[in-house]
Amino acid sequence: MSENPKTAAGLRKLPMDLIPPIALVKMAAVLGLGADCPAKAYGRWNWRDQPVEAETYVAALERHMLRWRAGEEIDEQTGVSHLASAMCCLAIVRDAQEAGTLIDNRRGSPGVLAVMDRYDASSMPVVKPQPVAG
């Protein structure tokens, strides 16, 4: 450990160095496309200028994640990463929430939290992989 007092002071600050730089680069590409692309032309920081609905971004997040889980890395419409687009959806919702421009129209599902709690990792049975026939 360094004896430099600046190092000790730095350790008490937000660990910004833990954010993977590639995530920031890819998110900037997605946000830049949405802000500046003539076909989209949402505008920079549009979620701060006009209120946005949470469910709009949740639906987009889920579409990007489903396509990524199905094996599609790049969004054919935009040419950018589905994962970066998903990260932007979350970042926009969180930023709009903090800025007071989020319309919280989440459609809760009665009882879903209780059901999820019953299926947490401590109560789930251990499933052993089946041997592959061959």
Side-chain angles (χ1 to χ4, degrees):
M1 184 73 129
S2 172
E3 298 288 327
N4 188 327
K6 291 180 183 177
T7 301
L11 291 174
R12 292 190 302 270
K13 306 282 185 186
L14 282 174
M16 300 302 291
D17 58 310
L18 294 178
I19 299 172
I22 194 66
L24 293 176
V25 169
K26 295 293 185 172
M27 287 176 67
V30 171
L31 292 169
L33 180 68
D36 301 329
C37 174
K40 299 275 185 187
Y42 296 131
R44 292 174 178 253
W45 296 93
N46 62 81
W47 61 92
R48 292 256 190 102
D49 296 334
Q50 297 291 320
V52 295
E53 294 184 356
E55 285 294 333
T56 298
Y57 286 89
V58 169
L61 166 69
E62 290 176 352
R63 286 191 301 272
H64 285 296
M65 291 308 301
L66 283 171
R67 287 191 161 285
W68 181 81
R69 289 182 71 197
E72 186 176 279
E73 295 291 329
I74 302 298
D75 185 333
E76 292 176 5
Q77 291 181 328
T78 63
V80 296
S81 161
H82 281 298
L83 290 178
S85 295
M87 290 189 301
C88 287
C89 289
L90 291 171
I92 287 170
V93 167
R94 185 61 192 103
D95 190 79
Q97 188 178 41
E98 190 72 21
T101 57
L102 183 70
I103 298 168
D104 189 349
N105 64 340
R106 288 178 281 183
R107 292 171 180 84
S109 181
V112 72
L113 296 177
V115 171
M116 288 179 72
D117 289 345
R118 285 198 303 268
Y119 285 100
D120 73 5
S122 65
S123 65
M124 292 296 289
V126 175
V127 179
K128 295 181 181 175
Q130 298 296 316
V132 177

